[in-house]
Amino acid sequence: MGKAIAGKIRELERTGTLAALEKYREMTPQGVQDMLRIKGFGPKKIKSLWKGLEVETIGELLYACNENRLVELKGFGAKTQEDLRKKLEYFLKSQDQFLYATLEEVGEEVLAHLQQALPAGTPVAFVGAFRRRNPVLKGIELLVGGDLSAVFDGEELRLVRQEEDYYLARTADEIPVRLFQCRPEAFGSKLFRHTGTEAFTQYFLERAQETDFRDLAEEAEVFAKAGIPYIEPELREGPGAVDRALVGDRKPLIEVEEVRGVLHAHSTYSDGINSLREMAEYSRDRGYEYLGITDHSKSAFYANGLKEDRLRRQWAEIDVLNEELAPFKIYKGIESDILNDGSLDYPADLLQEFDFIIASVHSNLRMDQTKATKRLLAAIANPYTTMLGHPTGRLLLAREGYPIDHRAVIDACAEFRVAIELNANPLRLDLDHTWIEYALEKGVLLSVNPDAHSTGGIHDIHYGVLAARKGGLSADRCVCCFDRTDFEAFLAGQRV
Ligand SMILES: [Zn+2]
Ligand SMILES: [Zn+2]
């Protein structure tokens, strides 16, 4: 390391900032800095857009794309322009939108602030999409059964404006918070009203035996009065939840404590941060019974994917660790790239040696629906595929997935007895929860997989379980909730 770098590191450590960086930040319009958040466009490209077209905001850049101004710019062409235009539109749509995972902790902090600022015993609860645990949110929503005037301290919570039926505030980090207010005697009624979607609530009211739900202090009273069994908040998305509750054949929703195995995890053998041993010991110490390690396959060169020799080294290490850590068990898995034609990434004689295989797409994410579906169908039909990994490749708020025919994919999984992953990374949550019901109808098993690239990543199972609950998943239909015996039986039956 040279003197200049060392000096900058020291400055950063001492002051927490870098004068040089701050200087450049000041010289760069905010809009241009925002452009840097668009996936797939690095600083060089952004700089030529800024300097070459004199655009300083995302809106201007989108306008420039629509005006075809990028075509003549060096390093750009019609294709890049179209690509950028789509990304910009997606980016603009996602403004003031947050991942649930980003807001979960802030939500708890706001709740604690309210409880502290309000007189003891004032009922407070989350409502809206936050209470329904939607993967993407516009902010945090709360209901308070009391007077709100004391809660806006201008610091932790700053009142922005008062709307007809709520107050809009922002936290110190500018997270939007919508606050509804009601009398404590009506708290249960309002809690119900502000939780479900409009479609859910309307249908609920149509099906209810009684319709006067005013002035109920507890939400449970609303359900009792309506003669409809209790419906968990995360399910209150549409009419279907009411019908299912009335039929009464619902199984209990999956709980995070029911997950017994960590399936889909990476180690330093590919692009993980922690060693195989660290991943295994961490999983064991958190009470999991097994780890299905799935490093990247050989085509994933950017992720240090495994060639056969290193694969054999990993297997030897697994054998040693399994003796040492028993009864905890590591299964020899792989996250095999699905190649363009749908084939997997190793020859059959090697594929058959794995305990299980997650097949995932990592390249050519821009296929049209027909091609992308065909590719998945071929991978599902492969006799060695155990599970389909992150089916659409989407990154919430950053990248739309490649379009697929979900029904065709799920039908094929039913036919070939391939399980479908619900990737628990809060950016992915892919399979989308809205497709779980169809998968269950078809008898397809799901699995909430952390896709952990570090020991900390294993905790993403929490977010996966929340999404799975929204889709009505129960533990008995979720592979990672199987004990080792059932998991092995599943693997054996899957590979006839
Ligand atoms: Zn992957
Ligand atoms: Zn992965």
Side-chain angles (χ1 to χ4, degrees):
M1 192 190 299
K3 250 194 185 156
I5 300 258
K8 292 213 161 51
I9 291 176
R10 225 174 284 125
E11 182 192 344
L12 196 57
E13 200 207 353
R14 214 176 47 241
T15 65
T17 63
L18 262 183
L21 177 64
E22 293 313 319
K23 193 182 98 194
Y24 283 114
R25 275 211 179 117
E26 245 166 63
M27 287 160 58
T28 314
Q30 185 56 47
V32 174
Q33 295 184 42
D34 290 344
M35 289 176 203
L36 290 165
R37 284 160 55 201
I38 302 162
K39 275 246 144 67
F41 282 82
K44 258 204 183 125
K45 276 223 157 69
I46 300 295
K47 191 183 168 193
S48 40
L49 289 169
W50 173 25
K51 299 289 179 190
L53 299 173
E54 293 173 7
V55 291
E56 296 197 347
T57 66
I58 301 245
E60 285 178 296
L61 184 54
L62 179 60
Y63 188 74
C65 287
N66 288 335
E67 293 278 290
N68 247 340
R69 286 177 53 208
L70 274 67
V71 177
E72 303 306 323
L73 209 59
K74 195 168 166 279
F76 292 82
K79 218 171 147 249
T80 329
Q81 174 175 278
E82 181 55 17
D83 185 33
L84 180 61
R85 193 183 61 76
K86 278 194 188 140
K87 283 183 170 141
L88 290 171
E89 275 174 350
Y90 192 66
F91 182 86
L92 286 174
K93 220 169 54 190
S94 67
Q95 290 296 289
D96 245 348
Q97 294 205 333
F98 306 88
L99 296 180
Y100 174 81
T102 311
L103 296 191
E104 189 177 49
E105 209 184 315
V106 191
E108 293 300 332
E109 284 165 14
V110 173
L111 181 65
H113 165 73
L114 292 179
Q115 282 165 335
Q116 202 231 330
L118 293 161
T122 309
V124 189
F126 293 117
V127 289
F130 190 86
R131 188 174 182 223
R132 297 199 308 276
R133 315 233 200 228
N134 283 11
V136 173
L137 301 164
K138 287 192 181 303
I140 297 163
E141 292 173 77
L142 289 131
L143 172 68
V144 173
D147 180 30
L148 273 172
S149 46
V151 306
F152 305 112
D153 62 353
E155 255 175 68
E156 272 181 84
L157 213 52
R158 191 180 82 245
L159 179 63
V160 177
R161 64 174 182 272
Q162 191 179 343
E163 295 282 341
E164 200 176 320
D165 64 339
Y166 66 90
Y167 294 81
L168 179 67
R170 285 192 185 259
T171 66
D173 290 334
E174 296 300 323
I175 307 289
V177 181
R178 282 211 288 171
L179 289 152
F180 299 89
Q181 190 177 20
C182 70
R183 290 172 294 116
E185 318 75 272
F187 189 76
S189 314
K190 294 292 179 192
L191 183 57
F192 176 79
R193 272 288 185 177
H194 288 302
T195 296
T197 62
E198 200 49 43
F200 169 86
T201 309
Q202 278 310 320
Y203 191 71
F204 183 96
L205 296 178
E206 281 165 27
R207 301 305 303 268
Q209 285 160 11
E210 277 183 59
T211 49
D212 182 8
F213 299 113
R214 281 170 299 180
D215 290 342
L216 301 175
E218 301 289 334
E219 191 184 50
E221 296 172 60
V222 176
F223 287 91
K225 237 183 156 184
I228 296 172
Y230 182 74
I231 299 167
E232 286 84 349
E234 49 265 69
L235 294 175
R236 299 185 206 167
E237 290 291 335
V242 179
D243 285 335
R244 277 189 294 281
L246 283 169
V247 174
D249 66 346
R250 297 184 316 141
K251 290 185 199 153
L253 298 180
I254 180 174
E255 303 275 354
V256 71
E257 295 78 18
E258 292 179 293
V259 177
R260 292 167 183 251
V262 176
L263 296 176
H264 196 162
H266 299 265
S267 73
T268 45
Y269 275 96
S270 65
D271 59 351
I273 290 172
N274 292 100
S275 68
L276 179 58
R277 172 182 287 276
E278 286 166 341
M279 294 299 281
E281 287 179 344
Y282 191 87
S283 304
R284 180 200 57 183
D285 294 346
R286 295 295 169 299
Y288 294 107
E289 295 169 22
Y290 53 95
L291 164 70
I293 198 81
T294 52
D295 276 303
H296 284 287
S297 63
K298 64 177 193 225
S299 289
F301 57 89
Y302 50 86
N304 192 23
L306 292 173
K307 296 232 167 64
E308 186 169 345
D309 55 332
R310 285 200 298 127
L311 203 51
R312 302 236 170 245
R313 275 218 313 274
Q314 187 183 51
W315 288 348
E317 190 184 341
I318 290 175
D319 290 339
V320 172
L321 282 170
N322 274 344
E323 286 214 3
E324 184 190 324
L325 303 176
F328 183 86
K329 190 163 174 187
I330 306 169
Y331 291 96
K332 296 165 185 165
I334 193 82
E335 181 174 19
S336 172
D337 266 39
I338 298 175
L339 306 179
N340 281 345
D341 62 355
S343 58
L344 299 186
D345 202 12
Y346 296 109
D349 59 336
L350 192 58
L351 287 173
Q352 69 175 359
E353 287 193 64
F354 290 100
D355 290 326
F356 76 109
I357 291 170
I358 299 177
S360 308
V361 166
H362 293 119
S363 54
N364 279 325
L365 303 176
R366 259 169 257 162
M367 279 189 180
D368 63 37
Q369 175 163 326
T370 313
K371 278 190 189 151
T373 304
K374 217 176 130 205
R375 169 165 66 167
L376 289 191
L377 294 183
I380 292 163
N382 189 305
Y384 300 107
T385 301
T386 315
M387 241 178 238
L388 179 64
H390 45 71
T392 73
R394 76 176 181 188
L395 294 177
L396 292 169
L397 302 183
R399 180 176 84 203
E400 277 179 289
Y402 39 84
I404 60 166
D405 179 343
H406 276 86
R407 271 170 213 276
V409 167
I410 291 168
D411 291 349
C413 286
E415 184 184 347
F416 293 100
R417 287 193 285 167
V418 166
I420 301 180
E421 165 177 284
L422 196 168
N423 192 296
N425 184 316
L427 272 167
R428 290 192 182 269
L429 299 174
D430 181 17
L431 183 71
D432 189 84
H433 66 83
T434 52
W435 285 101
I436 293 177
E437 191 187 344
Y438 183 72
L440 292 175
E441 256 170 46
K442 293 284 158 176
V444 173
L445 287 167
L446 288 116
S447 189
V448 176
N449 297 346
D451 198 356
H453 286 72
S454 64
T455 50
I458 293 171
H459 294 282
D460 282 350
I461 288 176
H462 164 70
Y463 299 112
V465 167
L466 293 182
R469 288 171 62 88
K470 286 190 73 64
L473 185 64
S474 52
D476 64 326
R477 302 304 297 163
C478 182
V479 175
C480 66
C481 296
F482 292 175
D483 62 17
R484 272 198 314 275
T485 315
D486 284 351
F487 179 59
E488 286 176 20
F490 159 72
L491 294 183
Q494 203 267 334
R495 195 95 51 93
V496 270

